[in-house]
């Protein structure tokens, strides 16, 4: 992933207004179609970003995680596109199981590492850590912005959309945070942690009915 591309994605939110020298998307006086177009662009960028990370992933398990994230962003894109066709009347389904699927991937990686086979080794270099940290930071920023927009939106449809999207971004943040912890602690001498890791945060049930 080159620096130019990562810089582009970190600025994924498309500005619609200028406030005090900073550019923001405004949920005030925006119709539902404008909001949906905004979300579609964000999800398209996210899908491309994670596909790039999956292509260069140093381990099959990590590749699977980034591929899963890319697939989730694609699902969001198509769901939002369908909502756009209906003018916002067709709502996004709030039933993602991305954390449950991710937990299985981590458990498989855990088994590989405990076998201490060549396939089980992880790249724990600073370069890889920084890539995962950058991806996690993008999810954090996107989550926080979606929460902000959900709080300020006056249209109930817009508010509901941003609440669902904020929840999904939080799940992605948790996935990447677990990845960072897993990779950092998979170095030699840390096998005891790997063996006892249970990945309790990777549970979609924790977010059922949750609203920001």
């Amino acid at each position: 992933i080159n620096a130019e591309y990562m810089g582009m994605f970190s600025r994924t939110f498309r500005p619609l207004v200028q406030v005090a020298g900073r550019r923001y998307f405004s949920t005030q006086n925006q119709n539902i179609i404008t909001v949906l177009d905004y979300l579609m662009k964000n999800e398209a960028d996210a899908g491309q970003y994670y596909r790039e990370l999956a292509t260069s992933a140093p381990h099959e398990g990590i590749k699977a995680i980034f591929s899963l994230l890319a697939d989730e962003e694609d699902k969001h894109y198509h769901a939002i596109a369908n909502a756009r066709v209906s003018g916002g009347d067709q709502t996004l389904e709030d039933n993602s199981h991305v954390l449950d699927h991710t937990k299985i991937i981590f458990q498989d990686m855990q088994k590989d590492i405990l076998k201490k086979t060549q396939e089980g080794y992880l790249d724990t270099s600073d370069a890889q850590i920084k890539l995962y940290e950058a991806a996690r930071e993008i999810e954090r920023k996107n989550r926080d912005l979606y929460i902000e927009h959900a709080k300020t939106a006056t249209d109930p449809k817009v508010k509901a959309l941003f609440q669902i999207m904020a929840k999904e971004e939080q799940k992605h943040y948790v996935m990447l945070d677990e990845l960072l912890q897993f990779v950092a602690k998979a170095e030699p001498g840390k096998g005891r942690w790997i063996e006892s890791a249970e990945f309790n945060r990777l549970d979609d049930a924790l977010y059922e009915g949750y609203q920001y």
Side-chain angles (χ1 to χ4, degrees), residues 1 48-58 63 66 131-132 135:
I1 309 295
Q48 181 181 354
Y49 175 65
Y50 285 124
R51 279 188 289 273
E52 291 274 346
L53 285 177
T55 299
S56 60
K63 179 178 181 179
F66 284 125
L131 276 179
Y132 307 150

Side-chain angles (χ1 to χ4, degrees), residues 8-84:
M8 176 275 290
F9 187 78
S10 68
R11 296 187 295 274
T12 184
F13 284 84
R14 295 309 188 266
L16 294 181
V17 295
Q18 181 82 30
V19 179
R22 296 180 61 189
R23 300 177 71 82
Y24 294 90
F25 174 89
S26 174
T27 53
Q28 301 300 321
N29 302 318
Q30 295 295 333
N31 63 43
I32 186 67
I33 297 301
T34 302
V35 174
L36 291 170
D37 285 343
Y38 163 76
L39 290 173
M40 285 172 64
K41 179 58 180 173
N42 287 344
E43 297 306 307
D45 286 347
Q48 181 181 354
Y49 175 65
Y50 285 124
R51 279 188 289 273
E52 291 274 346
L53 285 177
T55 299
S56 60
H59 186 280
E60 285 302 310
I62 296 175
K63 179 178 181 179
I65 289 172
F66 284 125
S67 295
L68 179 58
L69 280 165
D71 290 344
E72 285 295 306
E73 303 295 1
D74 289 344
K75 288 178 185 177
H76 295 166
Y77 175 89
H78 291 298
I80 295 166
N82 289 335
R84 191 187 190 286

